[in-house]
Amino acid sequence: FGLVNDGSFEFGECGAGSAWTCTTNTTCSWILNPISVWGYPAYDGVLCAWLGGFCGGPNSNGFCQSLFIDGMYLDWKWMGYVNSGCGTVYVKANGNTVWSHTMQLSEHTYGTWNNASAFWGNISLAAYCGQTVNLCLEWTACPDGASNDNMLADYVTLNTQCGVATEDASISTVKALY
């Protein structure tokens, strides 16, 4: 557990070294150096992923890779450009949505990197512990076709090793065991 394979998107752009398989409905590059576009550095390293945005049209995109799930909770660093509050980010495992969130205007945090878990709570992958799954971060553009909410994502991690208790045992639980 910890930083996933290419969790900082440093292996290269989509189709040019990245461990992530990228999908998009536009022609833009979605793993990039954010300094050249927005003037803000990646959280870790030089590159990060750009979810959503506007590239000749509103973008719906995703970043997927086959990962062995050895941590119960997914987390990542993000900053959001939210001007409409209608772009939606998803976490999917083997095509199943395990978490989704429609961005809110209050989540316009460009210039500041945030922890996903601090904003939205733990994103549990516990049901997939010990399995290799196709894990995806995906974005669906605003339905109006004109808005360009988006998110930069970096430093994707799996936290709390699978099989490790996450709650303190109560006295009654300890007594029941002995």
Side-chain angles (χ1 to χ4, degrees):
F1 68 107
L3 186 66
V4 303
N5 180 37
D6 198 17
S8 288
F9 301 93
E10 294 300 305
F11 291 5
E13 295 181 11
C14 299
S18 177
W20 300 90
T21 299
C22 308
T23 57
T24 180
N25 62 339
T26 69
T27 59
C28 287
S29 177
W30 299 105
I31 294 177
L32 46 73
N33 178 346
I35 290 176
S36 61
V37 181
W38 296 282
Y40 302 115
Y43 176 81
D44 185 57
V46 175
L47 303 175
C48 67
W50 179 19
L51 289 160
F54 199 85
C55 175
N59 183 61
S60 294
N61 63 352
F63 300 89
C64 302
Q65 72 167 292
S66 180
L67 287 173
F68 180 75
I69 305 300
D70 59 357
M72 290 191 288
Y73 303 111
L74 182 71
D75 202 2
W76 68 91
K77 303 294 185 182
W78 68 276
M79 66 170 75
Y81 178 86
V82 184
N83 66 358
S84 300
C86 55
T88 303
V89 62
Y90 298 87
V91 172
K92 294 183 180 180
N94 291 339
N96 300 310
T97 299
V98 296
W99 176 86
S100 68
H101 175 74
T102 300
M103 298 301 290
Q104 306 297 307
L105 293 176
S106 62
E107 294 166 337
H108 180 81
T109 63
Y110 253 49
T112 303
W113 286 100
N114 310 282
N115 286 326
S117 61
F119 264 76
W120 306 307
N122 286 330
I123 299 168
S124 179
L125 294 174
Y128 298 94
C129 278
Q131 300 175 44
T132 298
V133 302
N134 188 42
L135 183 70
C136 300
L137 286 175
E138 294 182 359
W139 184 274
T140 299
C142 296
D144 67 8
S147 302
N148 62 346
D149 291 356
N150 63 89
M151 170 190 296
L152 293 179
D154 204 1
Y155 207 75
V156 180
T157 60
L158 289 171
N159 301 312
T160 309
Q161 189 172 4
C162 289
V164 174
T166 58
E167 296 179 14
D168 293 330
S170 67
I171 295 299
S172 60
T173 303
V174 172
K175 283 183 181 179
L177 292 173
Y178 296 98

